Amino acid sequence: MSETESHPPVVSHRASPGRFSRPVRTPRKKTPPAAIRKATAASALGNATEWYDYGVYAVATAYITQHFFPGEQGMLLTLATFAISFLVRPLGGLVWGPLGDRLGRKTILAMTILMMSGATFLIGVLPSFEQVGVWAPVLLIVLRMVQGFSTGGEYGGAATYMSEYAPDRKRGFFGSFLEFGTLGGFALGTAVMLVLELVLSPEQMSSWGWRLPFLLAAPMGLIGFYLRSKLDDTPVFEEMNASDEDSRGTGPATAAGEPTSETVAPPSLAQVFRDHWKPMLVMTGLVISVNVVNYTLLSYMPTYLEQQIGLPAAAGLMIILIGEIAMMALMPWAGGLSDRFGRKPSWYFSLAGLILLAIPMFMLMGLNFGLAILGFAVLGLLYIPQLSTITATFPAMLPTQARFSGFAITYNIATSIFGGTAALVNEWGIGATGDVRFPAYYMMGACAVGLVCAWFMRETAGASLRGTEVPGSIGSAVVPGSPAESALEEGRQPEQRSMDEAEMLALAEEAKLAAATGAGGVAVDGAGDLDGAGDPDGGARVGAPVA
């Protein structure tokens, strides 16, 4: 599908540079590379802790069924309980998202990691159904709801934090480490359970061994809380809320070099939906594809391999672990490629590849252990271009003042419907149709939705996230030579398809005028020299208003 269709012809940016965009400028106060690495490590470790908790539940479903949901429908009830936490995630997004735009990103992240790890620890000490009857599954459901509520702020907050801290030129590379942490958490949960399966007898695992991975969440959560509490908030957030600093002359500067006292109040929930429903709708379709694939491969696959394919539990866990480690190894590489070639090509490749190869790979997994590893690995590798660029893609679809709210709400609503229910839908679908390839069909349908939405997504690789403007919009600040600049100057951004050249030039000039007068907030490169790139103009540049 060519992105040059359906819009008027425009002059190439090579012939007339900067007609529909302006270059990012380095701020006076640059973010030290050490601070970026520290923020990246703390975000990734915290995210690993969060998703370790989810991963442990996913690979312990057989033991949870035995102790909390005995009976014929026990597995379905266990998977439904897994899904319940996702139903609470939108509530968490509605609460944590606006708080994150008001109080700051790091404050919310410190709170959510304590809630998540504490709830997971308590699952490990819950009495069983035999001991307290129906209270056992009730308490388990309550703790899963606490996990879901905390995750409603954790993931949106961590992705927003990481994307705002990363340099514009390398947002895909640095952002990929957040998803590295996600896979690391899943892999750690799988590895711990696999080790226990190998060193303990079946009786010991059934009696008390299955509880140990849940108990490990407590020290992991405390470490993550300590690291996050020592972080500063993102430069992007601090600049937008720097009225006190401005009065002392240390805040963001106008193009003339004078500090501006402008601050932007976070929008209400009604304003978020009213002003940003289009990118939120596009994001919803992309999140559907991300989550159906993610939770089919990483959460449901152990159950699928054991119950539908007939592999031993340890063999199924080993396949998942090998696949997750391979995915982690390639994650930063895939993120870096998206910085060079763009987010949209990464998504197109991943979505189209999964649509084409889902059925053949599921057929391979049903043949034997070796081919099951190959099939899972191929699907996992095709998924990486989506997973590695989530942090760089989704927060960049919204302006700073609505970024945490819009992302957290959109991501969690879509995830609650299509992510947490993926295992349940797949289990039900196989039972209803008798076709063990049902998960492949489900993944293909979700990726088809994502492919359509990717067509309407802006290219934001190299777009600045600073200021009140929408990244990648006409007249916005972009890194020279980046995919975002190429998309703007060649007229390939979605809104440009319905505009003629005169309209685009008029809107670009309006945005640049707002930038020059300081009417739109700061839009500068947060760590312009981290990758060795200089700043030829040597000054701060303010951003354009939301288009």
Side-chain angles (χ1 to χ4, degrees):
M1 186 181 296
S2 172
E3 286 201 70
T4 59
E5 299 173 358
S6 304
H7 68 81
V10 297
V11 180
S12 169
H13 81 286
R14 293 180 177 86
S16 52
R19 302 180 78 215
F20 308 124
S21 65
R22 68 181 194 277
V24 163
R25 304 291 184 91
T26 303
R28 297 178 187 177
K29 183 179 179 181
K30 299 178 183 178
T31 304
I36 296 175
R37 289 191 290 267
K38 180 180 177 182
T40 301
S43 298
L45 181 59
N47 211 42
T49 300
E50 193 89 3
W51 294 102
Y52 166 83
D53 301 339
Y54 268 72
V56 165
Y57 188 99
V59 297
T61 52
Y63 300 106
I64 291 172
T65 299
Q66 176 186 344
H67 288 279
F68 295 95
F69 300 104
E72 291 184 5
Q73 302 299 318
M75 180 56 70
L76 279 176
L77 291 173
T78 299
L79 296 177
T81 301
F82 182 81
I84 281 175
S85 70
F86 287 82
L87 299 180
V88 185
R89 284 181 64 162
L91 177 60
L94 289 168
V95 172
W96 297 117
L99 285 176
D101 283 329
R102 286 173 170 79
L103 303 179
R105 289 43 167 142
K106 79 155 193 171
T107 301
I108 304 304
L109 292 176
M111 296 169 64
T112 56
I113 195 170
L114 283 182
M115 289 185 63
M116 183 68 168
S117 58
T120 304
F121 173 82
L122 291 176
I123 290 177
V125 298
L126 279 181
S128 67
F129 186 89
E130 290 183 357
Q131 294 171 314
V132 296
V134 72
W135 279 107
V138 168
L139 291 172
L140 176 63
I141 290 171
V142 169
L143 290 175
R144 288 292 298 164
M145 293 174 70
V146 172
Q147 288 181 319
F149 183 77
S150 69
T151 305
E154 162 64 29
Y155 191 76
T160 299
Y161 186 90
M162 192 63 260
S163 67
E164 290 183 345
Y165 237 114
D168 294 327
R169 295 173 178 84
K170 294 188 174 182
R171 192 178 306 121
F173 173 76
F174 281 97
S176 69
F177 285 96
L178 188 69
E179 304 310 328
F180 184 94
T182 298
L183 277 180
F186 271 108
L188 181 60
T190 303
V192 170
M193 188 64 71
L194 177 60
V195 169
L196 292 174
E197 290 275 6
L198 295 175
V199 301
L200 297 179
S201 67
E203 293 76 18
Q204 290 172 321
M205 278 297 298
S206 176
S207 176
W208 52 268
W210 69 273
R211 296 180 180 272
L212 296 180
F214 291 93
L215 301 181
L216 286 176
M220 290 177 62
L222 291 175
I223 293 172
F225 173 77
Y226 174 79
L227 291 175
R228 286 183 169 182
S229 64
K230 297 296 182 182
L231 295 175
D232 295 326
D233 223 316
T234 70
V236 175
F237 179 81
E238 290 179 340
E239 285 166 4
M240 195 185 70
N241 295 273
S243 58
D244 290 340
E245 294 182 17
D246 293 339
S247 65
R248 299 191 297 269
T250 60
T254 66
E258 295 299 324
T260 174
S261 60
E262 179 192 27
T263 59
V264 180
S268 65
L269 287 177
Q271 290 173 320
V272 170
F273 283 102
R274 183 195 67 199
D275 297 338
H276 307 291
W277 67 269
K278 287 184 180 179
M280 291 172 71
L281 185 61
V282 172
M283 191 189 304
T284 297
L286 297 173
V287 174
I288 289 172
S289 69
V290 164
N291 279 279
V292 169
V293 176
N294 186 81
Y295 289 101
T296 296
L297 291 181
L298 301 182
S299 296
Y300 179 65
M301 196 57 70
T303 302
Y304 176 83
L305 292 173
E306 183 177 353
Q307 295 195 352
Q308 305 300 336
I309 304 301
L311 288 178
L317 290 178
M318 188 170 295
I319 289 173
I320 304 302
L321 183 59
I322 292 172
E324 288 171 343
I325 292 174
M327 292 168 69
M328 290 172 65
L330 294 177
M331 193 76 66
W333 177 77
L337 282 180
S338 77
D339 289 324
R340 181 177 179 183
F341 298 106
R343 317 290 184 227
K344 290 170 73 82
S346 295
W347 282 77
Y348 285 146
F349 172 81
S350 175
L351 293 165
L354 287 168
I355 290 173
L356 292 174
L357 294 178
I359 291 177
M361 293 307 103
F362 267 82
M363 293 175 65
L364 275 183
M365 285 189 286
L367 296 178
N368 57 54
F369 178 76
L371 292 177
I373 294 177
L374 176 62
F376 182 85
V378 170
L379 292 176
L381 295 179
L382 285 173
Y383 177 49
I384 282 179
Q386 289 183 62
L387 185 63
S388 63
T389 58
I390 289 176
T391 301
T393 301
F394 293 162
M397 298 173 75
L398 296 157
T400 304
Q401 68 274 16
R403 185 165 296 136
F404 198 152
S405 301
F407 179 34
I409 293 168
T410 304
Y411 192 89
N412 287 301
I413 289 177
T415 300
S416 70
I417 299 173
F418 295 96
T421 59
L424 185 62
V425 169
N426 284 321
E427 185 79 359
W428 171 85
I430 292 174
T433 64
D435 190 344
V436 295
R437 291 172 295 185
F438 180 87
Y441 307 144
Y442 193 37
M443 286 171 54
M444 291 169 65
C447 288
V449 172
L451 199 58
V452 172
C453 290
W455 170 246
F456 295 98
M457 177 179 73
R458 280 191 183 95
E459 178 56 72
T460 58
S464 174
L465 298 195
R466 281 177 150 91
T468 59
E469 64 192 344
V470 176
S473 59
I474 296 177
S476 63
V478 295
V479 174
S482 67
E485 187 201 38
S486 297
L488 278 170
E489 299 306 326
E490 295 170 8
R492 292 186 285 108
Q493 296 289 41
E495 66 270 24
Q496 291 177 292
R497 298 171 191 150
S498 61
M499 302 173 67
D500 59 33
E501 187 170 343
E503 290 173 322
M504 286 188 276
L505 284 171
L507 187 56
E509 289 304 315
E510 181 183 342
K512 292 176 182 179
L513 178 62
T517 58
V522 178
V524 289
D525 189 358
D529 292 340
L530 182 67
D531 55 0
D535 175 33
D537 300 309
R541 177 68 68 99
V542 291
V546 176

